[in-house]
């Protein structure tokens, strides 16, 4: 900062001092100084005044003395010393104003950056927490879900059966909440893959209607579907994602429904070339709280907000499709969920016919299949053993140490391996490669199924690419595990 | 009575002026007013039955210590280097700045201070102390915590 020195007789004071720094004379333009008074006593700035007469530093700019901003120069000759004070308060005040604005802006930006960093850190912590939390929840939930499912099918007294049914139902609800949390966490991180396919949209909606008509009648109300005449017969969309959007919105309507009927209305807003904008309206008799509609990432503190998860997921998914979701009120004050979705309408439709699906068979084996459970989590071990042993078709052996597992596949023949995503910190893919290398010829060909808490699609795809026949995600039910085992075994061998 | 010149340096907005005002006048203002040039205040401190006249030079905040005018630092007996513990940028160059002062003003003691300790939640103080172990003392001009102690410490350092 080089000051513009505005020296004129009106703003410059000359003070002459003796060798003891007492005032000999002063023109008192700025301050009144008594003749004979000590300059050192006038202001603390002058406490070490002697230094400035001896030093090379003969001038100090912008020194605040008694509310004035001064430039101060020192000089001496053989008999006395002179101090010149120049009042540049006006100039420095202007500089001060500029510096004030600049610094305030810097500090504001710094604080903003810090807040942003903190928010990012919090989001990262939250995602990590969700990931760890869901991972830890999956194994016990698998046990509860699988065992309660097994118990429901057994011959329990009616009262006990009802109790177990309640446990099963709640564990399924818990499973859904867990899946929703994970799903939302993925969506928030934009880790979403879309797999569009051409579907018969009208048929799809009719199936949807069938599903919810059944559910609604069980709950004591009705479900109806209205399809606008312009709605395209075929659309291109990720069917799973469309399922998620509609299911979440209808479940939301069911939860808050107080009346007798829920209506899903589907219309076409507009169509241009091969793109159509579709409108889905879900109406019923009930009011959806604003907390549900406004929460982008609901807190898990109350039941209402947990239900809001579905709405948030639908909203995030619609964002992916450049769509929108909002809640409006009908004439009676009931909530209507409105979703707008942009889809591609294929010009030429060529849909491969779906192969008829076979329901998994559960035959009685004449010879028990030998199944390895490679798992170091006690809960998962116990769940898998119990589910398999209950079938009476399997002999199971558990390994929690990779070395024991490799030793076993080298020396004895087995029929299938159920493997955790890691065993004593050895990754499943690595372990599978070692099995392929060290197992005997028979075991090199047996199916290996991964049992995992992983939700990341890339990771699941890696499992499949590396040679796992199937990936079963936790939490699974007994039926899901058995279906996977039966469908991968060469059944003929055991009948 | 012995007089000692203390120069307070540090980045802008760290609270140098507020610390001096708290010490000299026992006052604090939430309003931020930029200091330009230098502002000098004094206060007498009694340390071990000895009165010391402290001449405290409040300098303009800067990110680069070399920008502080050498004329202001003439005859300095002790430095107080102030950082704002809520703004990492204000202590990101602390080593570089201290090296500069130590090389140029050898044997002049330097006290490293972290201001705005009031912004740390009370329960996290112990945890944060490790994070700021490069500082000699955490203070709060707003609440007055450790401000007197800070001046006593630099005075002790200057007298020994």
């Amino acid at each position: 900062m080089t000051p513009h020195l505005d020296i004129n007789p009106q703003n410059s004071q000359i003070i002459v001092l003796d060798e003891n720094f007492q005032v000999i004379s002063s023109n008192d333009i700025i301050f009144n100084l008594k003749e004979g008074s000590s300059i050192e006593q006038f202001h603390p700035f002058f406490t070490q005044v002697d230094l400035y007469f001896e030093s090379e530093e003969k001038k100090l700019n912008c020194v605040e003395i008694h509310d004035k901003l001064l430039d101060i120069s020192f000089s001496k000759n053989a008999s006395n010393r002179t101090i010149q004070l120049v009042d540049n308060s006006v100039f420095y005040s202007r500089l001060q104003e500029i510096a004030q604005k600049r610094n305030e802006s810097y500090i504001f930006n710094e604080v903003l950056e810090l807040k942003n960093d903190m928010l990012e850190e919090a989001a990262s912590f939250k995602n990590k927490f969700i990931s760890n939390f869901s991972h830890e929840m999956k194994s016990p939930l698998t046990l509860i879900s699988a065992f309660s499912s097994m118990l429901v099918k057994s011959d329990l007294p009616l009262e006990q059966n009802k109790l177990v049914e309640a446990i099963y139902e709640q564990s399924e609800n818990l499973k859904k909440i867990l899946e929703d949390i994970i799903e939302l966490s993925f969506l928030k991180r934009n880790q979403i893959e879309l797999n569009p396919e051409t579907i018969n949209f009208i048929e799809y909606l009719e199936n949807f209607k069938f599903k919810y008509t059944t559910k609604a009648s069980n709950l004591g109300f009705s479900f109806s579907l209205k399809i606008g005449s312009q709605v395209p017969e075929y659309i291109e969309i990720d069917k799973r994602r469309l399922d998620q959007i509609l299911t979440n919105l209808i479940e939301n309507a069911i939860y808050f429904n107080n009346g007798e009927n829920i209506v899903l209305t589907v219309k076409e807003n507009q169509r241009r070339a091969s793109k159509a904008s579709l409108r889905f309206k879900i109406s019923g008799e009930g009011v959806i709280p604003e907390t549900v509609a406004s929460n982008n990432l609901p807190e898990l503190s109350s039941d209402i907000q947990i239900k809001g998860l579905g709405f948030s997921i639908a909203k995030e998914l619609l964002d992916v499709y450049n769509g929108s979701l909002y809640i409006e009120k009908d004439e009676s004050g009931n909530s209507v969920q409105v979703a707008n979705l942009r889809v591609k309408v294929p010009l030429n439709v060529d849909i491969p016919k779906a192969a008829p699906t076979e329901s998994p068979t559960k035959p009685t084996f004449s010879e028990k299949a030998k199944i390895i459970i490679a798992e170091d989590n006690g809960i998962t071990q116990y769940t898998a053993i119990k589910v398999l042993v209950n079938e009476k078709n399997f002999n199971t052996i558990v390994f929690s140490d990779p070395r024991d597992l490799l030793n076993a596949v080298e020396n004895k023949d087995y029929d299938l391996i159920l493997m955790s995503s890691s065993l004593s910190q050895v990754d499943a893919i690595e372990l599978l490669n070692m099995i392929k290398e060290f197992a005997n010829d028979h075991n090199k060909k047996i199916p290996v199924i991964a049992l995992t808490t992983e939700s990341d699609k890339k990771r699941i795809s890696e499992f499949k690419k590396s040679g796992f026949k199937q990936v079963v995600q936790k939490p699974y039910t007994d039926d899901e595990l058995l279906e996977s085992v039966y469908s991968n075994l060469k059944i003929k061998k055991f009948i | 009575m012995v007089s000692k010149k203390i120069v307070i340096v540090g980045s802008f907005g760290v609270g140098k002026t507020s610390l001096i005002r708290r010490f000299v006048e026992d006052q604090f203002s939430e309003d931020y007013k930029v200091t330009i040039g230098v502002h000098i205040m004094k206060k007498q401190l009694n340390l071990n039955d000895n009165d010391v006249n402290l001449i405290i030079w409040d300098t303009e905040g800067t990110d680069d210590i070399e920008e502080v005018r050498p004329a202001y630092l003439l005859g300095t007996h002790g430095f107080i280097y102030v950082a704002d513990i809520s703004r990492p940028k204000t202590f990101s160059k602390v080593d570089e700045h201290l090296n500069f002062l130590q090389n140029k003003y050898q044997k002049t003691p330097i006290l490293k201070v972290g201001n705005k300790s009031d912004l740390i939640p009370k329960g996290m103080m112990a945890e944060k102390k490790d994070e700021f172990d490069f500082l000699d003392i955490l203070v709060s001009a707003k609440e007055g915590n450790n401000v007197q102690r800070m001046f006593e410490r630099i005075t002790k350092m200057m007298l020994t």
Side-chain angles (χ1 to χ4, degrees):
Chain A
M1 183 170 53
T2 308
H4 161 71
L5 287 176
D6 182 16
I7 305 172
N8 61 55
Q10 277 75 47
N11 72 351
S12 174
Q13 179 166 354
I14 306 292
I15 307 159
V16 182
L17 306 170
D18 65 16
E19 67 273 19
N20 296 317
F21 309 111
Q22 287 183 328
V23 178
I24 298 173
S25 68
S26 164
N27 60 358
D28 286 2
I29 296 289
I30 306 168
F31 303 118
N32 289 326
L33 291 168
K34 276 186 188 172
E35 204 175 301
S37 65
S38 167
I39 191 76
E40 288 170 301
Q41 299 301 316
F42 176 66
H43 189 272
F45 168 76
F46 297 104
T47 306
Q48 292 173 295
V49 69
D50 54 321
L51 290 175
Y52 290 98
F53 291 108
E54 305 306 324
S55 154
E56 287 173 7
E57 306 291 349
K58 301 285 188 206
K59 188 172 180 186
L60 282 93
N61 291 327
C62 197
V63 179
E64 187 183 321
I65 293 178
H66 298 314
D67 295 329
K68 295 202 181 294
L69 291 161
L70 311 169
D71 292 332
I72 305 172
S73 308
F74 301 86
S75 62
K76 71 169 185 176
N77 57 32
S79 56
N80 51 37
R81 293 158 176 79
T82 307
I83 298 175
Q84 184 187 27
L85 307 179
V86 178
D87 183 0
N88 266 318
S89 297
V90 175
F91 171 76
Y92 286 125
S93 294
R94 279 209 304 270
L95 275 189
Q96 201 273 344
E97 278 171 30
I98 295 165
Q100 182 82 29
K101 281 183 190 160
R102 181 198 62 199
N103 289 8
E104 277 175 358
S105 158
Y106 279 150
I107 293 170
F108 178 76
N109 285 333
E110 261 182 63
V111 172
L112 214 61
E113 262 176 52
L114 277 172
K115 278 188 182 167
N116 195 33
D117 288 350
M118 277 166 69
L119 283 175
E120 277 179 18
E121 210 173 296
S124 151
F125 172 79
K126 187 181 69 196
N127 287 330
K128 204 173 170 185
F129 172 78
I130 288 173
S131 168
N132 289 344
F133 160 80
S134 56
H135 181 84
E136 293 300 327
M137 285 280 287
K138 280 175 181 175
S139 291
L141 204 53
T142 304
L143 183 144
I144 298 167
S145 186
F147 285 11
S148 52
S149 166
M150 285 163 70
L151 278 170
V152 165
K153 290 171 210 153
S154 66
D155 294 329
L156 287 175
L158 184 65
E159 194 184 343
Q160 286 183 15
N161 195 279
K162 289 284 170 201
L163 292 173
V164 176
E165 255 180 27
I167 295 172
Y168 178 68
E169 204 179 292
Q170 287 308 309
S171 73
E172 288 299 300
N173 280 343
L174 208 54
K175 214 165 114 180
K176 172 79 174 63
I177 291 168
L178 197 64
E179 280 163 7
D180 282 355
I181 291 171
I182 295 165
E183 186 72 37
L184 194 55
S185 162
F186 275 117
L187 286 167
K188 287 279 176 193
R189 281 183 279 167
N190 298 322
Q191 289 179 342
I192 178 172
E193 274 176 37
L194 296 176
N195 299 307
E197 58 180 311
T198 301
I199 61 165
N200 184 324
F201 188 45
I202 305 297
E203 202 177 288
Y204 169 87
L205 289 172
E206 290 296 342
N207 286 339
F208 210 82
K209 179 189 170 188
F210 176 74
K211 179 180 162 188
Y212 275 100
T213 305
T214 314
K215 180 164 183 172
S217 75
N218 287 339
L219 293 169
F221 58 92
S222 66
F223 178 83
S224 52
L225 170 71
K226 292 178 185 170
I227 304 174
S229 57
Q230 303 296 314
V231 171
E233 189 180 0
Y234 289 95
I235 61 169
E236 216 176 282
I237 197 160
D238 185 329
K239 193 163 158 265
R240 182 173 160 252
R241 300 301 178 189
L242 181 61
D243 266 346
Q244 278 182 305
I245 293 169
L246 292 182
T247 304
N248 278 314
L249 295 181
I250 289 170
E251 292 288 345
N252 219 17
I254 291 173
Y255 185 79
F256 293 107
N257 186 40
N258 300 321
E260 293 183 343
N261 195 20
I262 285 177
V263 184
L264 167 62
T265 311
V266 186
K267 280 184 182 171
E268 185 182 71
N269 290 326
Q270 58 178 22
R271 195 188 304 191
R272 276 186 196 156
S274 62
K275 286 190 179 161
S277 165
L278 301 175
R279 172 165 295 192
F280 300 83
K281 272 191 174 186
I282 298 107
S283 51
E285 284 176 43
V287 176
I288 298 172
E290 279 182 18
T291 47
V292 170
S294 61
N295 262 2
N296 282 330
L297 183 58
E299 301 296 327
L300 299 177
S301 56
S302 74
D303 193 34
I304 285 174
Q305 285 168 323
I306 283 173
K307 285 290 161 191
L309 269 174
F311 192 86
S312 297
I313 290 171
K315 198 166 187 295
E316 291 288 334
L317 283 168
L318 282 158
D319 278 351
V320 173
Y321 280 102
N322 291 325
S324 63
L325 175 61
Y326 55 91
I327 294 176
E328 61 182 26
K329 300 267 187 218
D330 66 11
E331 289 163 353
S332 314
N334 295 312
S335 299
V336 180
Q337 298 175 87
V338 183
N340 291 304
L341 177 66
R342 287 181 191 178
V343 294
K344 213 171 163 185
V345 181
L347 297 174
N348 300 309
V349 180
D350 183 19
I351 302 170
K353 282 184 183 172
T357 51
E358 285 177 22
S359 57
T361 51
K362 291 183 184 176
T364 307
F365 289 180
S366 55
E367 182 194 336
K368 286 189 178 180
K370 294 185 279 298
I371 297 190
I372 287 178
I373 300 167
E375 171 68 75
D376 54 7
N377 180 305
I379 296 171
T380 314
Q381 276 179 13
Y382 185 54
T383 313
I385 292 171
K386 199 78 181 155
V387 170
L388 294 175
V389 168
N390 210 41
E391 282 290 289
K392 300 186 174 71
N393 279 336
F394 310 109
N395 273 335
T396 55
I397 182 162
V398 177
F399 294 105
S400 53
D401 188 321
R403 285 167 299 186
D404 296 339
L405 172 66
L406 292 173
N407 197 27
V409 292
E410 190 183 353
N411 298 309
K412 280 185 183 172
D413 289 353
Y414 296 94
D415 298 302
L416 186 138
I417 301 174
L418 293 171
M419 193 192 291
S420 163
S421 48
S422 75
L423 195 63
S424 296
Q425 295 184 337
V426 179
D427 183 72
I429 295 174
E430 203 180 316
L431 203 52
L432 183 64
N433 289 334
M434 288 161 88
I435 289 172
K436 282 177 192 167
E437 194 179 338
F438 295 109
N440 63 29
D441 290 343
H442 170 86
N443 288 337
K444 275 179 183 164
K445 293 171 194 161
I446 63 171
V448 183
I449 297 168
L451 302 178
T452 181
T453 54
E454 292 280 357
S455 309
D456 186 1
K457 277 187 177 169
K458 278 186 188 166
R459 179 79 174 135
I460 288 167
S461 158
E462 276 173 21
F463 278 128
K464 287 182 180 165
K465 275 183 197 162
S466 63
F468 283 95
K469 279 282 176 193
Q470 198 175 343
V471 180
V472 177
Q473 285 173 266
K474 295 176 192 173
Y476 50 77
T477 63
D478 56 337
D479 289 336
E480 283 163 353
L481 180 66
L482 289 170
E483 185 186 329
S484 169
V485 170
Y486 279 120
S487 61
N488 283 291
L489 277 174
K490 288 174 184 165
I491 306 262
K492 282 179 190 169
K493 180 184 164 187
F494 305 100
I495 299 174
Chain B
M1 190 190 346
V2 64
S3 285
K4 294 287 176 189
K5 175 178 173 179
I6 300 169
V7 178
I8 319 260
V9 290
S11 186
F12 56 84
V14 296
K16 298 181 290 295
T17 307
S18 294
L19 285 169
I20 298 169
R21 281 198 72 196
R22 171 61 74 191
F23 176 62
V24 177
E25 299 167 351
D26 196 22
Q27 284 182 3
F28 176 80
S29 166
E30 290 280 359
D31 298 330
Y32 169 53
K33 192 186 169 202
V34 169
T35 303
I36 61 159
V38 69
H39 182 202
I40 300 119
M41 292 180 102
K42 74 169 178 180
K43 182 166 180 176
Q44 209 167 299
L45 184 77
N46 186 279
L47 196 73
N48 303 329
D49 292 332
N50 293 315
D51 284 335
V52 184
N53 192 26
L54 297 179
I55 313 297
I56 308 159
W57 286 50
D58 180 17
T59 60
E60 182 178 330
T62 171
D63 280 343
D64 188 353
I65 196 95
E66 293 184 38
E67 281 179 6
V68 180
R69 283 169 238 194
Y72 293 164
L73 307 182
L74 194 67
T76 303
H77 297 105
F79 289 104
I80 295 180
Y81 183 94
V82 187
D84 174 348
I85 56 169
S86 70
R87 287 165 53 212
K89 273 189 182 169
T90 66
F91 49 84
S92 60
K93 289 183 181 171
V94 63
D95 289 340
E96 196 184 309
H97 291 172
L98 293 179
N99 278 341
F100 172 80
L101 289 177
Q102 278 157 355
N103 288 335
K104 197 136 193 197
Y105 304 92
Q106 290 172 10
K107 295 183 184 171
T108 305
I110 305 166
L111 187 71
K112 294 155 276 172
V113 173
N115 188 26
K116 307 193 189 177
S117 66
D118 51 281
L119 297 179
I120 300 177
K122 295 282 178 265
M124 288 177 72
M125 206 51 160
E127 190 186 319
K128 287 282 178 186
K129 261 184 179 162
D130 289 343
E131 196 180 314
F132 297 115
D133 64 353
F134 62 95
L135 297 168
D136 297 312
I137 189 167
L138 295 183
V139 302
S140 166
K142 186 177 180 178
E143 293 178 351
N145 299 336
N146 279 344
V147 175
Q148 176 78 15
R149 194 170 295 154
M150 171 183 93
F151 280 98
E152 284 172 1
R153 270 181 79 168
I154 187 68
T155 308
K156 220 177 269 179
M157 288 160 84
M158 290 186 295
L159 291 175
T160 50

